Amino acid sequence: MDEPLSAPVNMARDHAVLSSLGTDEAILRIYRWKNPTISFGRNEQVRGLYDRKLASKEGVEFVRRPTGGKAVYHDRELTYSVVLPSARRWGIRSIYKKINSAFLEALVSLGIPAVAAGLGQATLSGTETAFCFQDYAEGEVIVNEKKLVGSAQVREKGSILQHGSLLIEQGQGSLERLCFEGKMKEDEGTATSLIEVMSPLPTWEDLVFAIRGGFRSAFGGDWHETELRENEREAEIDFLKRYSSDEWTWRK
């Protein structure tokens, strides 16, 4: 578990772990953000949509993720990343299902009535400008038919990275507020957060403990905590150049 880091460092670290993964290991990372941040999907079209001056005045960062998906506002949340080798038994759908199972077990252990969305519950809007928490697909974690966990994936050099957000408090409405008027619309009614579905909120430590327990149960194997390894630190330095770059963030 890392201390809160800047947006570029968080994305560079996720990508560094992905690029450095061994063939017989998997890594779970749980982290927070030093400043409120809007992250974009790898190929999302966002140029000209956001008021960067207003965001800067409010201390909001922008970053483009290595994964796909739609825009997410990161602030009062638990963020996770999982890196696994994409062997036959760890295909994209299998990983997605396992991670959802891990979150479901963790959330239920905290007394939250979370479920995986069924095919008939999916609310995909089909609009290219929709934000991540504006709709949900089959298998995603929901509570009272509202999305609680949003995730995105990328596959690279034999490994798969999935990372995402468990909302502790609302905040996705800031996406619309920081867009230029009329450009995009966000409805917080399609998202929910821990503070809305449980009281009192668990401590950060208790929440992390539950998430770790859910992952141990879903994936099995031997688990231990470790610091960032030397090859991962070197890769992070290289990737930081990309994720600190306006050219990368605003390339589309």
Side-chain angles (χ1 to χ4, degrees):
M1 182 172 62
D2 296 326
E3 71 280 6
L5 299 171
S6 70
V9 172
N10 271 329
M11 293 301 94
R13 185 159 297 183
D14 276 357
H15 208 156
V17 172
L18 171 65
S19 69
S20 306
L21 189 73
T23 57
D24 60 349
E25 64 181 359
I27 295 174
L28 167 66
R29 179 175 171 240
I30 296 175
Y31 59 94
R32 290 177 282 188
W33 304 73
K34 187 175 181 179
N35 300 306
T37 298
I38 294 174
S39 75
F40 307 131
R42 184 185 186 96
N43 295 309
E44 189 176 4
Q45 301 278 350
V46 297
R47 189 184 299 164
L49 292 180
Y50 289 88
D51 189 335
R52 296 169 65 182
K53 289 184 178 179
L54 176 59
S56 178
K57 183 178 179 180
E58 296 184 2
V60 177
E61 295 186 66
F62 292 97
V63 72
R64 188 175 289 271
R65 303 187 302 269
T67 55
K70 305 166 187 176
V72 179
Y73 183 80
H74 306 278
D75 189 12
R76 299 176 295 276
E77 66 173 54
L78 177 146
T79 313
Y80 79 94
S81 65
V82 178
V83 181
L84 291 156
S86 55
R88 182 176 300 176
R89 72 187 186 99
W90 293 127
I92 288 176
R93 291 186 179 182
S94 175
I95 290 173
Y96 196 71
K97 185 177 180 179
K98 284 279 190 181
I99 291 175
N100 284 336
S101 296
F103 271 101
L104 286 172
E105 182 163 337
L107 294 169
V108 170
S109 75
L110 293 170
I112 301 168
V115 297
L119 181 59
Q121 293 175 287
T123 62
L124 292 174
S125 64
T127 59
E128 293 184 2
T129 56
F131 303 118
C132 176
F133 280 89
Q134 198 168 16
D135 49 32
Y136 56 83
E138 180 184 6
E140 293 198 287
V141 178
I142 61 173
V143 179
N144 300 326
E145 299 188 354
K146 294 184 179 182
K147 189 171 180 176
L148 180 61
V149 181
S151 303
Q153 283 188 347
V154 67
R155 180 162 48 187
E156 181 180 292
K157 296 180 180 180
S159 299
I160 295 176
L161 162 68
Q162 180 170 318
H163 57 190
S165 303
L166 165 62
L167 300 183
I168 296 175
E169 296 184 40
Q170 281 281 15
Q172 299 307 301
S174 293
L175 290 164
E176 178 186 346
R177 185 175 54 79
L178 292 172
C179 280
F180 288 111
E181 184 176 359
K183 290 282 188 178
M184 302 171 79
K185 295 295 180 183
E186 166 70 0
D187 179 9
E188 280 198 341
T190 59
T192 192
S193 61
L194 290 183
I195 199 170
E196 296 169 82
V197 299
M198 66 181 306
S199 180
L201 281 174
T203 65
W204 175 260
E205 291 73 20
D206 286 345
L207 183 57
V208 170
F209 182 82
I211 298 300
R212 286 174 171 169
F215 272 87
R216 287 191 183 97
S217 178
F219 286 91
D222 297 323
W223 290 72
H224 62 275
E225 292 188 42
T226 182
E227 298 292 329
L228 206 63
R229 297 172 294 194
E230 187 60 32
N231 62 330
E232 293 168 336
R233 293 186 184 280
E234 292 174 357
E236 180 184 301
I237 291 171
D238 288 337
F239 282 119
L240 189 56
K241 298 172 185 176
R242 173 188 298 184
Y243 294 107
S244 299
S245 167
D246 276 356
E247 182 179 359
W248 167 259
T249 302
W250 302 101
R251 67 193 184 100
K252 291 188 176 186

